[in-house]
């Protein structure tokens, strides 16, 4: 009688085990979805349930801290919110996402056995507008060394230098800063004076920006020695007139001090200096001389001069023709060319006329020879006729 009892107990245990297995199999179905979000945005983490039977659902962060226990908040972080809890879908949101939130979020379903799926949160960090650092001072005839820097991005940003619509090749380097990457691009540009204020730019591109770019503009600052030019007055100057000389100065950096002086003498008492302008009123012959404008910066010195000649009020001064020298030179060249052509034609005609005279002279010699032959032969001819010749 013992054997049937044991058999019944074994059969009952098997049925309970199978029921428990079926219940567990039906309740353990959970799926998680991976999420990619831009830093500062909002991430939605979803856990999909199949054949949910009311078991406990737990959501944990990458550090295995419990965020929610069956819809109830377990971690005091207001950035996490439970937005949906149904037998088919459990969803939470995470606002103001940072790279520190990146990792695997666990969707766990507690039944007779614990089953879980991991939703991987990936955080993308787009670059800010890059900055530009000047490594070396650009001097005329030298090189400008510029570095474009994007200090933080994920994945690494792409940097390129542009000038007049063309890319300038540079040296790119990267450095990891935790979960983000710092990227730099350094270019070396040979510069001349004309390159001062030339525009260049650094562009940063990134998958999170799509077709857009973050651009930083820069104008080259090329240092060079100054140039000086005095603008002279028009016409002649007589006693009693006023004189204004303007000194035009260029240079980078622009010279701060402009110096006016007179060669081998001091400036007249009535001379007034205002910046780059020298003014002298009521001129006299004592003002005659050579005046200098000088300027300098860290890269050189330059000067220009003007010779002042003041005439008596009644002096007669010969003025030069206002016809440009280029016009005079052109007229002279045309005149010389015309004379040469006339000479060539004259010589050609003379040679042709002389050739014609020589031809007629040779014809006359032939006739003269015939006369001589007739005279020697006594005017005899083969046909018995006589010819008369005029000698």
């Amino acid at each position: 009688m013992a054997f049937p009892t044991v058999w019944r107990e074994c059969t009952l245990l098997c049925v309970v085990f199978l029921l428990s297995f079926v219940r567990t199999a039906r309740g353990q179905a959970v799926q998680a979805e991976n999420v990619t979000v831009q830093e500062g945005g909002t991430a939605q983490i979803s856990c999909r349930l199949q054949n949910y039977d009311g078991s406990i659902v737990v959501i944990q962060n990458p550090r295995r801290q419990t965020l929610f226990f069956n819809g109830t908040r377990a971690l005091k972080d207001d950035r996490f919110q439970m937005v949906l809890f149904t037998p088919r879908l459990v969803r939470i949101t995470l606002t103001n996402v940072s790279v520190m939130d990146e990792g695997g979020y666990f969707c766990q379903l507690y039944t007779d056995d614990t089953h879980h799926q991991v939703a991987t949160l990936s955080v993308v960090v787009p670059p800010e507008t890059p900055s530009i650092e000047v490594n070396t001072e650009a001097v005329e005839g030298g090189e400008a060394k510029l570095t474009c820097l994007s200090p933080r991005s994920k994945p690494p940003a792409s940097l390129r230098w542009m000038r007049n619509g063309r890319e300038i090749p540079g040296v790119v380097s990267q450095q990891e800063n935790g979960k983000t990457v710092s990227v730099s691009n350094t270019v070396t540009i040979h510069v001349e004076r004309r390159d001062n204020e030339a525009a260049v730019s650094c562009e940063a591109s990134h998958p999170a920006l799509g077709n857009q770019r973050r651009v930083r503009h820069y104008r080259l600052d090329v240092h060079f020695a100054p140039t000086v030019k005095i603008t002279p007055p028009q016409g002649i100057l007589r006693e009693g007139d006023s004189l204004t000389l303007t000194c035009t100065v260029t240079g980078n950096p622009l010279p701060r001090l402009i110096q006016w002086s007179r060669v081998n003498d001091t400036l007249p008492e009535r001379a007034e200096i205002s910046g780059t302008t020298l003014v002298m009123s009521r001129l006299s012959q004592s003002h005659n001389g050579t005046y200098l404008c000088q300027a300098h910066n860290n890269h050189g010195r330059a000067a220009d001069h003007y010779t002042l000649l003041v005439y008596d009020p009644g002096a007669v001064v010969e003025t030069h023709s206002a016809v440009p020298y280029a016009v005079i030179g052109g007229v002279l060249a045309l005149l010389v060319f015309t004379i040469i052509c006339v000479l060539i034609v004259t010589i050609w005609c003379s040679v042709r006329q002389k050739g014609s005279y020589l031809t007629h002279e040779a014809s006359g010699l032939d006739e003269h020879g015939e006369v001589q032959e007739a005279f020697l032969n006594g005017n005899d001819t083969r046909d018995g006729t006589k010819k008369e010749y005029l000698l």
Side-chain angles (χ1 to χ4, degrees), residues 323-338:
V323 179
Y325 291 108
V327 176
I328 297 175
V331 173
L332 291 176
L334 180 60
L335 180 61
V336 171
F337 177 76
T338 303

Side-chain angles (χ1 to χ4, degrees), residues 109-175:
L109 187 60
Y110 285 93
T111 57
D112 295 334
D113 194 8
T114 301
H115 302 276
H116 70 267
Q117 288 288 328
V118 178
T120 301
L121 173 62
S122 300
V123 180
V124 175
V125 182
E128 298 294 332
T129 301
S131 61
I132 294 177
E133 297 178 356
V134 180
N135 301 86
T136 56
E137 181 182 88
V139 181
E140 179 183 15
E143 294 179 336
K145 190 174 183 179
L146 307 174
T147 297
C148 177
L149 179 64
S150 176
R152 189 170 179 271
S153 60
K154 180 179 177 293
S158 296
L159 300 179
R160 66 173 184 171
W161 283 95
M162 301 295 292
R163 182 179 182 182
N164 297 329
R166 296 183 178 181
E167 183 176 356
I168 308 173
V171 179
V172 180
S173 62
Q174 297 182 1
Q175 182 178 354

Side-chain angles (χ1 to χ4, degrees), residues 274-290:
S274 177
T276 61
T277 302
L278 174 65
V279 179
M280 290 184 289
S281 59
R282 299 172 57 189
L283 291 175
S284 67
Q285 292 187 3
S286 63
H287 293 148
N288 289 344
T290 300

Side-chain angles (χ1 to χ4, degrees), residues 353-368:
Q353 182 177 3
K354 183 177 181 181
S356 176
Y357 171 77
L358 291 175
T359 301
H360 288 294
E361 184 178 7
S363 177
L365 288 176
D366 292 340
E367 294 178 358
H368 183 66

Side-chain angles (χ1 to χ4, degrees), residues 127-235:
E128 298 294 332
T129 301
S131 61
I132 294 177
E133 297 178 356
V134 180
N135 301 86
T136 56
E137 181 182 88
V139 181
E140 179 183 15
E143 294 179 336
K145 190 174 183 179
L146 307 174
T147 297
C148 177
L149 179 64
S150 176
R152 189 170 179 271
S153 60
K154 180 179 177 293
S158 296
L159 300 179
R160 66 173 184 171
W161 283 95
M162 301 295 292
R163 182 179 182 182
N164 297 329
R166 296 183 178 181
E167 183 176 356
I168 308 173
V171 179
V172 180
S173 62
Q174 297 182 1
Q175 182 178 354
E176 294 186 0
N177 298 321
K179 292 188 175 184
T180 62
V181 180
S182 173
V183 183
S184 65
N185 187 336
T186 301
V187 293
T188 302
I189 306 173
H190 181 79
V191 292
E192 298 293 342
R193 181 175 305 202
R194 63 179 178 271
D195 296 316
N196 188 44
E197 296 295 326
V200 296
S201 61
C202 178
E203 300 179 353
S205 57
H206 192 268
L209 299 177
N211 294 327
Q212 297 181 351
R213 289 179 173 84
R214 303 276 169 86
V215 181
R216 176 71 67 182
H217 298 282
Y218 178 77
R219 291 192 175 273
L220 294 176
D221 184 22
V222 181
H223 289 198
F224 53 90
T227 61
V228 175
K229 180 65 177 178
I230 296 177
T231 303
Q234 298 294 326

